[in-house]
């Protein structure tokens, strides 16, 4: 390697000397002869400085290496492939190497640690308001702290246990999750650790990748603290800790791309058909077989006898897979003024895609929440739909929106703005960071590794992956530590402000139900 660098330097020096002679004999001398003495005296210092800068750059033995990227960024843009590469010495924040060749030979994770000093990291923004629910989710352990016995009790239904020690991750798998839920959840956590290296405290966590929450709130009162179990959703009767779902890093089985890519496509998709030019109906497409409430929704579809202003379609994922997912492109589904969100067996990952469309989200009364949906406000971000009278409720919502087009459009825009601005990947990672940071501070014991734990790193996951799984991993790879600190957490709710927040949401829903009741009373009088 040193010999190669020496040869390269000699070639650079030779090349630079040749250019200098050409510049002197063919350009500089003729130009000087054409100028007056006074002009030369005035111009000489400027030309000398410019020439020195050009000559110095030509002799630079360590030029910045750009691989297919624009050299405009102040951060090195070395592409992450499986070849060894050199990060520019001028880079402020170096990229983290990914070398599958070395990993495949040794089957060991890299030992080098990457970090960034506080002085090189600028202050972050203020976190979105829904981050306040982190405090609420961790409140059951606020006074008791978290003990090893509590964590072990959460093992009963967990798919895996993850241990973070000195910024590194270690995995102990208990049961394989459905599809690649566990794989992309773990991949996402690794990306957060790369984004904020060395900043997450030591901790152990149990993760359950099944949809529905299982830690009943009624069984744990006073000093009897519940087992801390992480999952994708919760409800008012359980104490499971909600965490961003796997699909933010891609869902290979249904060809849903990583969120950072898909979010941009959804933004472009909203521009294809202006809201007023969209179909003035409520649209839904999904799998109705997973829950009775969805099968009930299908009864609201348009027929020869009745039009409830709904256009509903059953999704056949098996056929979609065979046809190359031509009819399931989410960015192409922003074609109706209204889109229905309805839960499946529990919460559904589809909610963020529906809210992003600029269409008014008709949200059938939910029983579950994920990490961001508690930040949504009825009649501002969405229109509430009755669960036990879906068809009439959808009919009224669409009629109301078509009669109040500007208000309806504003509602759809508020939802898509929320998704684009407050649910971008920067905030997804910050939510993960703050949740794990506060969680780790509650520990009353020193986390340790069991004999069954194995080190988990980017190389151990991506180097052996194939097909769409590997593609989505590479597309969602965090390449460098963050140049900014995580966003600043908002304060926790105090009891009066929390009660007022919940009361306002219930009041908005009650107002819509009152309007709907009056609407149908008037319809009955007309008939």
């Amino acid at each position: 390697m040193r010999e190669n660098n020496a040869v390269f330097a000699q070639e650079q020096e030779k090349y630079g000397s040749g250019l200098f002679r050409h510049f002197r004999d063919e350009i500089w001398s003729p130009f000087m002869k054409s100028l007056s003495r006074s002009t030369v005296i005035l111009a000489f210092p400027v030309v000398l400085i410019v020439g020195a800068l050009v000559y110095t750059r030509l002799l630079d033995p360590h030029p910045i290496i750009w691989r297919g990227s624009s050299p405009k960024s102040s951060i090195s843009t070395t592409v992450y492939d499986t070849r060894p590469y050199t990060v520019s010495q001028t880079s402020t924040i170096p990229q983290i190497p990914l070398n599958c060749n070395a990993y495949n030979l040794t089957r060991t994770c890299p030992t080098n640690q990457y970090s960034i000093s506080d002085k090189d990291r600028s202050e972050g923004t203020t976190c979105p308001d829904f981050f306040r629910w982190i405090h609420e989710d961790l409140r059951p352990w606020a006074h008791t702290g978290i003990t090893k016995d509590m964590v072990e009790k959460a093992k009963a239904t967990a798919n895996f246990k993850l241990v973070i020690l000195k910024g590194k991750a270690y995995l102990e798998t208990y049961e394989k999750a459905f599809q690649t839920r566990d794989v992309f959840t773990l991949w996402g956590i690794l990306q957060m650790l790369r984004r904020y290296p060395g900043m997450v405290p030591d901790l152990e966590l149990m993760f359950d990748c099944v949809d529905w929450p299982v830690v009943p709130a009624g069984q744990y009162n006073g000093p009897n603290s519940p087992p801390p179990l992480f999952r994708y959703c919760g409800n008012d009767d359980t104490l499971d800790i909600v965490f961003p779902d796997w699909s933010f890093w891609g869902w290979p089985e249904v060809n849903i791309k990583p969120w950072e890519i898909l979010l941009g496509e959804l933004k472009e998709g909203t521009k294809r058909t202006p809201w007023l030019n969209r179909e003035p109906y409520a649209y839904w497409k999904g799998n109705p077989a997973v829950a009775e409430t969805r099968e009930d929704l299908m009864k609201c579809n348009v027929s020869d006898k009745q039009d409830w202003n709904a256009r509903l379609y059953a999704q056949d994922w098996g056929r979609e897979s065979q046809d190359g997912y031509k009819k399931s492109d989410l960015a192409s589904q922003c074609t109706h003024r209204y889109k229905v969100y309805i839960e499946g067996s529990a919460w559904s990952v589809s909610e963020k895609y529906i809210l992003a469309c600029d269409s008014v989200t008709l949200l059938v009364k939910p029983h579950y929440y994920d990490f961001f949906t508690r930040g949504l406000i009825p009649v501002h971000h969405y229109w509430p739909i009755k669960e036990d009278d879906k068809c009439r409720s959808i009919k009224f919502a669409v009629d109301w929106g078509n009669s109040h087009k500007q208000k309806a459009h504003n509602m759809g825009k508020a939802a898509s703005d929320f998704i684009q601005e407050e649910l971008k990947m920067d905030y997804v990672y910050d939510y993960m960071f703050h949740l794990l940071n506060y969680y780790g501070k509650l520990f009353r014991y020193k986390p340790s590794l069991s004999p069954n734990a194995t080190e988990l790193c980017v190389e151990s996951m991506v180097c052996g992956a194939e097909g769409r799984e590997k593609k989505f991993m590479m597309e969602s790879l965090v390449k460098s530590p963050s140049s900014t600190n995580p966003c600043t957490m908002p304060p926790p709710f105090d009891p009066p402000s929390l009660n007022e927040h919940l009361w306002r949401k219930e009041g908005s829903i009650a107002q819509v139900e009152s309007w709907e009741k009056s609407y149908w009373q008037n319809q009955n009088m007309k008939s």
Side-chain angles (χ1 to χ4, degrees):
M1 187 69 176
R2 291 179 180 175
E3 293 177 358
N4 290 339
N5 286 341
V7 172
F8 178 78
Q10 292 174 4
E11 289 295 321
Q12 284 282 64
E13 185 173 1
K14 179 180 178 181
Y15 178 63
S17 299
L19 283 179
F20 184 83
R21 288 194 298 272
H22 175 79
F23 177 80
R24 179 194 62 196
D25 298 334
E26 301 297 329
I27 301 174
W28 176 255
S29 296
F31 175 72
M32 291 298 293
K33 291 178 181 179
S34 66
L35 298 177
S36 65
R37 179 180 178 84
S38 60
T39 303
V40 170
I41 293 173
L42 291 173
F44 181 78
V46 176
V47 175
L48 184 63
I49 292 172
V50 173
L53 289 173
V54 172
Y55 186 70
T56 300
R57 184 68 190 98
L58 288 170
L59 293 182
D60 182 8
H62 301 291
I64 297 176
I65 302 172
W66 308 100
R67 293 184 182 165
S69 301
S70 169
K72 294 180 180 180
S73 173
S74 61
I75 300 177
S76 170
T77 55
T78 307
V79 169
Y80 285 80
D81 53 25
T82 57
R83 299 170 293 170
Y85 45 79
T86 303
V87 178
S88 166
Q89 293 183 351
T90 62
S91 173
T92 305
I93 303 176
Q95 291 192 344
I96 306 171
L98 169 63
N99 194 332
C100 284
N101 290 334
Y103 177 79
N104 290 335
L105 286 173
T106 64
R107 291 292 169 181
T108 57
C109 292
T111 57
N112 49 322
Q113 290 282 315
Y114 291 83
S115 62
I116 177 172
S117 63
D118 291 339
K119 65 181 180 63
D120 292 329
R121 201 184 295 114
S122 59
E123 284 302 312
T125 58
T126 300
C127 301
D129 200 56
F130 66 82
F131 277 56
R132 301 174 78 179
W133 289 99
I134 290 176
H135 302 292
E136 298 304 311
D137 287 348
L138 298 178
R139 193 173 297 280
W141 304 274
H143 299 295
T144 63
I146 293 174
T147 66
K148 190 171 186 63
D149 182 58
M150 293 176 190
V151 174
E152 288 303 313
K153 284 182 179 178
K155 179 180 177 179
T157 65
N159 289 96
F160 63 82
K161 175 183 179 181
L162 185 74
V163 181
I164 297 176
L165 292 178
K166 298 181 179 179
K168 291 191 173 185
Y170 301 86
L171 174 67
E172 186 173 347
T173 300
Y174 303 128
E175 184 177 352
K176 186 71 181 72
F178 177 65
Q179 296 182 339
T180 51
R181 290 184 176 200
D182 51 350
V183 172
F184 278 86
T185 298
L186 291 165
W187 177 259
I189 294 173
L190 287 180
Q191 304 320 301
M192 187 272 295
L193 294 177
R194 286 164 69 92
R195 183 180 175 91
Y196 297 122
M199 295 175 65
V200 177
D202 292 353
L203 56 85
E204 300 177 15
L205 66 86
M206 297 287 185
F207 207 108
D208 187 341
C209 300
V210 177
D211 282 343
W212 46 89
V214 297
V215 182
Q219 292 185 11
Y220 301 96
N221 297 303
N224 185 22
S225 295
L229 181 64
F230 286 72
R231 70 176 342 101
Y232 308 121
C233 72
N235 63 21
D236 294 338
D237 299 322
T238 56
L239 298 174
D240 301 59
I241 303 170
V242 295
F243 196 83
D245 71 82
W246 74 94
S247 66
F248 283 98
W249 297 272
W251 189 354
E253 290 82 3
V254 293
N255 196 36
I256 290 180
K257 301 173 185 177
W259 183 236
E260 192 162 23
I261 295 173
L262 184 54
L263 193 59
E265 293 182 356
L266 286 166
K267 187 173 184 178
E268 292 302 313
T270 63
K271 301 175 183 177
R272 295 174 191 168
T273 307
W275 191 86
L276 287 173
N277 295 342
R278 297 182 185 182
E279 294 291 328
Y281 302 108
Y283 172 93
W284 181 80
K285 188 174 186 179
N287 183 1
V290 298
E292 290 185 8
T293 186
R294 288 190 174 186
E295 292 177 345
D296 187 49
L297 173 68
M298 298 303 288
K299 298 175 184 177
C300 305
N301 218 342
V302 61
S303 68
D304 295 337
K305 298 179 180 180
Q306 182 68 52
D307 188 352
W308 297 107
N309 289 336
R311 303 295 184 264
L312 314 173
Y313 304 89
Q315 176 76 297
D316 185 341
W317 283 113
R319 176 171 291 182
E320 273 297 288
S321 176
Q322 295 174 1
D323 294 342
Y325 302 97
K326 295 177 182 178
K327 297 181 180 179
S328 57
D329 177 41
L330 295 172
S332 299
Q333 294 181 12
C334 301
T335 55
H336 291 68
R337 292 181 185 174
Y338 313 89
K339 294 194 72 175
V340 177
Y341 169 75
I342 185 168
E343 293 177 336
S345 58
W347 133 101
S348 170
V349 299
S350 64
E351 189 163 8
K352 57 182 174 290
Y353 311 128
I354 292 170
L355 288 163
C357 241
D358 256 8
S359 305
V360 179
T361 298
L362 307 184
L363 198 149
V364 179
K365 182 181 178 179
H367 294 273
Y368 302 90
Y369 54 78
D370 69 4
F371 78 102
F372 76 87
T373 52
R374 288 172 287 184
L376 299 174
I377 302 171
V379 196
H380 177 65
H381 295 116
Y382 68 89
W383 186 272
I385 298 296
K386 288 182 179 179
E387 181 186 26
D388 57 355
D389 195 7
K390 299 181 185 69
C391 300
R392 284 158 49 99
S393 197
I394 290 172
K395 168 74 173 173
F396 166 65
V398 172
D399 282 351
W400 181 91
N402 289 336
S403 300
H404 302 80
K405 294 183 178 65
Q406 189 59 55
K407 291 182 179 179
H409 187 195
N410 290 344
M411 197 183 308
K413 188 70 166 59
S416 62
D417 286 348
F418 175 92
I419 296 298
Q420 289 288 339
E421 296 167 9
E422 300 191 27
L423 200 63
K424 57 187 178 181
M425 280 306 298
D426 289 346
Y427 286 138
V428 175
Y429 283 125
D430 285 1
Y431 190 96
M432 296 163 64
F433 170 82
H434 283 302
L435 176 58
L436 295 184
N437 186 46
Y438 279 90
Y439 172 76
K441 289 179 180 179
L442 293 170
F443 270 57
R444 296 293 181 264
Y445 71 99
K446 185 176 177 58
S448 60
L449 299 177
S450 74
N452 296 324
T454 57
E455 186 175 356
L456 191 70
C457 59
V458 163
E459 285 81 0
S460 68
M461 296 194 73
V462 75
C463 294
E466 297 178 346
R468 195 178 292 121
E469 184 176 327
K470 182 166 188 173
K471 179 176 184 291
F472 288 172
M473 285 182 177
M474 293 303 297
E475 289 175 346
S476 59
L477 179 70
V478 168
K479 299 175 178 65
S480 302
S482 174
S483 60
T484 61
N485 283 316
C487 61
T488 303
M489 277 284 287
F493 290 106
D494 55 44
S497 63
L498 178 58
N499 290 334
E500 181 183 0
H501 172 78
L502 297 175
W503 180 84
R504 287 179 61 190
K505 292 180 75 169
E506 290 298 322
S508 297
I509 294 172
Q511 178 65 75
V512 170
E513 291 178 351
S514 175
W515 293 339
E516 185 177 326
K517 182 179 179 180
S518 298
Y519 171 86
W520 285 110
Q521 285 177 345
N522 292 334
Q523 294 296 314
N524 292 335
M525 290 176 62
K526 291 178 182 179
S527 60

